[in-house]
Each structure stands twice: as C-alpha cells, then as structure tokens.
Amino acid sequence: MHDAPPFSADAMLARLARWLRVLGWDTRLDPQLPDPDLVALANAEGRLLLTRDRLLLRELQPARSLEIVHDAPLQQLVQVVTVLQLAPPRELHSLPQL
C-alpha cells in the first residue's frame, strides 16, 4: 500500500474531489480553471491529475494523470484507491468491487 499523492481534479469530477477531501487527501478542485491552466498548475505542483476527459489527456499530456472510467463517484473513488494501491481510509468500512 502507498501514500496518496496530492490530487488535482477536473470539473467533471467535483463529487470525487469532495470524497477525496472528506477522506483527508490533498485534492485541488477549481471548476472555473480552463484545461490548459489546470494541467499547468497540476504539473507545477506535482499533482496527479484526475480526469474523465480523454481529449485533455491526449492533447495536453499532463505529467501525471489518471483517467477515471466510472460514472458513479464511489466507483471512481474505488478506482483511485485500487489503481494507486492506496491504503483504504479507515473511514471507509468496505469498498465495493470494480
């Protein structure tokens, strides 16, 4: 299990960002920020960019990113925890299977 990196989430993942914050993980969310600025800020701060936007990933190529593939925020959270091999927060008693 690993420690969580600092995250940056795009506007499509506001609910996931709130979950991450509630669970104590450093997560930046600025829904008004244009995509190029979002990527530049994430890169400058060494954040892992969480996004569902494939065009953003392909065109702007953030230094560190994770494409979120689920629609439901809880499934998104499970994806982040599973893919990054994070220790599930104690606040979550159980995580559903992907």
Side-chain angles (χ1 to χ4, degrees), residues 15-49:
R15 291 174 69 192
L16 171 61
R18 281 188 230 118
W19 269 107
L20 293 169
R21 286 177 177 168
V22 164
L23 296 170
W25 287 325
D26 179 3
T27 306
R28 175 184 288 278
L29 174 68
D30 186 347
Q32 305 304 319
L33 207 57
D35 287 349
D37 296 339
L38 174 67
V39 171
L41 189 58
N43 288 345
E45 294 181 351
R47 293 179 177 274
L48 177 69
L49 181 61

Side-chain angles (χ1 to χ4, degrees), residues 34-40 43 49 53-63:
D35 287 349
D37 296 339
L38 174 67
V39 171
N43 288 345
L49 181 61
D53 188 341
R54 290 182 181 158
L55 180 63
L56 179 153
L57 292 172
R58 185 175 62 244
E59 298 295 323
L60 300 176
Q61 300 180 352

Side-chain angles (χ1 to χ4, degrees), residues 1 7 17 19 22 26 54 66 75 77 79 88 95 97:
M1 297 288 169
F7 297 110
W19 269 107
V22 164
D26 179 3
R54 290 182 181 158
L66 176 60
Q75 287 179 318
L77 179 61
Q79 179 188 351
L95 293 174
Q97 296 298 314

